[in-house]
Amino acid sequence: MGHPHKALRTSTTGAVSAALLAGAAFGLAPATPAAATEASSAPGIRFVDIRGDGGTVLKANVVTPAGADGSGRYPVVVLPTSWATPQVEYLAQATKLAGSGYVVVTYNVRGFWQSGGNIEVAGPPDIADARKVVDWALANTPADPSRVGMAGMSYAAGISLLAAAHDDRIKAVAALSGWADLTGSIYSGRTQHLQATGLLLGAGHLTGRPSPELRQFTKDFLGSNLDKEDEMIAWGNKRSPSSYVDRINRNGAAVMLGNAWGDTIFPPNQYAEFYERLTVPKRLEFRPGDHATAEATGLLGLPNDTWTSTRRWLDHHLKGTDNGVDREPPVRIKSRSGGPYETYPDWKSVGADARKVDLGGTKTIRANVDSGANGGIVMLSNTLDQFLKLPPVASIPLLPRRYAAVWQSERHRAPQRIRGTAELHTTVTSTKESGTLVAYLYDVGPLGLGKLVSNAPYTFHDRTPGKPFPVDLELFSTAYDVPAGHRLALVVDTVDPLYIEHNPSGAQLTFSSPATDPSYVSVPLREQ
């Protein structure tokens, strides 16, 4: 932060991102207005207005089991909508849930589409709204007050977790493609995730009404206002379920977390860390894909692993169904390279066999130039990886060493099944007091073509030029199989379109490996 010359570039990128997300949001919407009209005449489905916090009108759908006449009580599931999506988003899933004996209330969150109010980004009004919706469901539907659940994707996932921290009536949560640490998601390594925030903010302006607080945050965050950094971090922490994990544990709601390895909006690391801190009944699932792509087909009513797991979770914890979900290993993952699901007793067991790749020697690179190594395009690159096994690639031998530091391992005789979070440790010396570096881990084949395994950014400020300092950086968690005969490569450069960089003109970074503090990348591997 603190580089005004980047403001124009940021604004332009935000406008482009807004256009991209408009198309993405439309493409993920599960029903057209015509389809919604048809659904409203179906038995058990009705559209209602619910008064949220301060009397704000929330547009909602209520789906009840066929034949419900008020003589019996049913478990109830509340589904807030995702960011920028209309209230019919979950209609297919809501109908399925109602068909199996649930009352379902899905509502458009405040500030979007036809609901009133402003976009508060899961702030206190949103949490109060969720509680009001539960109140309304218990008063106006055959919902059982002892069997209340919340679920949803993305924005809904964050709101559901926060609601569970503030409302002990909620007994089960399924939080899909969401966040536990909002600050850590969009500002990891002290670096703004430019494309991700541009996408979200652009969609918010197109489909909703940002609050004054959100407008100010946007200005300070994308404008790199370091003077407001503490305030912005506090703003994000206030909206982070990880800040309230003790409350969630005390209230006791059973929590299922699902996410994609390549989620460019809410990277998986922060979910894994949150999962480890939970003491309630819990489950963690990671699959290939990008933000919400693992769940998207379920919105159309098609078979979908994530929604199947969600149903099993809710059935056990709200209906008491003995489906075995409580006896299964709670961590379930699928490699980006294919193969069956793998199960583990906890997150730390996923990559229990860590191995180090030494990063010896001294390498100096110039800043401000994209070397050709990058993390791809938000919502596109990791979706291609999910469906076509086409992650971002780079020719490692052709990367310009003037702008990229490159280290490679020896060829591996056996497959390397990477699972979990790779960690970089190195020593950096900068010619300027501020700077940004981006680390990439590649799977390099015999011809030198590198397929991206993971990446992460790191930004520093207020460093003494010419004075070495240590850097410890967690790359984004993943599951990827490196074939036998391939190498691993660690590449570091200073520019990536995914992130805002903070390299002053003419800056140079030197990476060294002192004998007393050697540099390395620790790669987590599945136990053989």
Side-chain angles (χ1 to χ4, degrees), residues 281-292:
K282 58 185 180 178
R283 188 176 180 91
L284 178 67
E285 299 189 353
F286 285 140
R287 298 175 174 83
D290 206 313
H291 184 65

Side-chain angles (χ1 to χ4, degrees), residues 55-209:
T56 298
V57 174
L58 306 174
K59 296 294 183 178
N61 310 323
V62 180
V63 189
T64 52
D69 58 6
S71 61
R73 292 289 169 181
Y74 302 87
V76 57
V77 178
V78 174
L79 299 166
T81 53
S82 303
W83 185 272
T85 56
Q87 70 192 81
V88 295
E89 176 186 14
Y90 299 114
L91 205 53
Q93 286 300 322
T95 301
K96 286 187 174 185
L97 284 166
S100 63
Y102 289 90
V103 171
V104 184
V105 181
T106 171
Y107 70 97
N108 229 125
V109 292
R110 67 169 51 225
F112 286 106
W113 296 88
Q114 293 176 312
S115 285
N118 294 320
I119 302 171
E120 302 290 347
V121 195
D126 291 299
I127 310 312
D129 284 347
R131 301 190 67 178
K132 291 284 188 179
V133 172
V134 172
D135 292 342
W136 186 94
L138 297 180
N140 294 278
T141 73
D144 185 341
S146 67
R147 296 185 290 169
V148 178
M150 289 191 69
M153 296 162 42
S154 187
Y155 196 35
I159 289 175
S160 295
L161 289 170
L162 287 163
H166 291 83
D167 193 333
D168 61 8
R169 294 174 298 180
I170 298 170
K171 304 303 181 186
V173 170
L176 314 177
S177 289
W179 78 89
D181 181 351
L182 185 57
T183 303
S185 294
I186 63 174
Y187 194 49
S188 71
R190 211 178 175 188
T191 309
Q192 300 103 314
H193 291 211
L194 175 61
Q195 288 187 16
T197 51
L199 218 58
L200 293 171
L201 295 169
H205 282 270
L206 285 171
T207 62
R209 300 167 298 280

